[in-house]
Amino acid sequence: MQVITSWTGSQADALREALRMTNESFANHLGVSVRTVANWRKRPEIRPQPGMQELLDVALERAPDRIKVQFSLLVGEENRATDDQPAFQTEPFAFPLTVMTSME
């Protein structure tokens, strides 16, 4: 499971996206204002307050496994777009489809 040590607005929005929720439904899900959720989208670098960090931790923890996987993929894409490190350090181990489907 993806562990977030300190949430950013971008990561919070990635969780919203993984859950396939609108700003309104995500705000309702967390028990916060729609304005707060919209602010995360407008300011991806923002660091939510500690209480909000805990709400996001709980929301991720309670999410179904498929949502956690989707969230990890979205956060991974975000990291690859912003990191100066080589892609091989953030890419999951993978085989080409032809290798996986070969009957030889």
Side-chain angles (χ1 to χ4, degrees), residues 1-76:
M1 180 176 90
Q2 181 79 28
V3 176
I4 304 298
T5 56
S6 182
W7 289 86
T8 64
S10 179
Q11 292 163 329
D13 191 53
L15 180 57
R16 179 201 60 77
E17 189 176 338
L19 289 164
R20 301 194 192 290
M21 292 183 169
T22 63
N23 285 1
E24 292 79 10
S25 61
F26 191 51
N28 188 46
H29 181 69
L30 295 176
V32 301
S33 72
V34 176
R35 187 178 195 170
T36 297
V37 174
N39 199 31
W40 292 334
R41 293 182 79 181
K42 289 179 188 174
R43 298 183 54 208
E45 76 290 347
I46 195 170
R47 299 261 178 208
Q49 295 293 322
M52 190 64 63
Q53 298 264 342
E54 289 180 31
L55 287 175
L56 292 164
D57 287 341
V58 170
L60 178 57
E61 184 178 306
R62 291 183 178 171
D65 287 341
R66 67 180 179 78
I67 299 300
K68 291 175 184 175
V69 169
Q70 179 69 14
F71 173 74
S72 292
L73 291 171
L74 290 168
V75 170

Side-chain angles (χ1 to χ4, degrees), residues 83-104:
D83 284 351
D84 292 330
Q85 299 175 3
F88 69 85
Q89 291 183 353
T90 59
E91 289 291 322
F93 186 72
F95 288 104
L97 185 58
T98 55
V99 171
M100 294 172 34
T101 58
S102 173
M103 299 300 284
E104 298 178 334

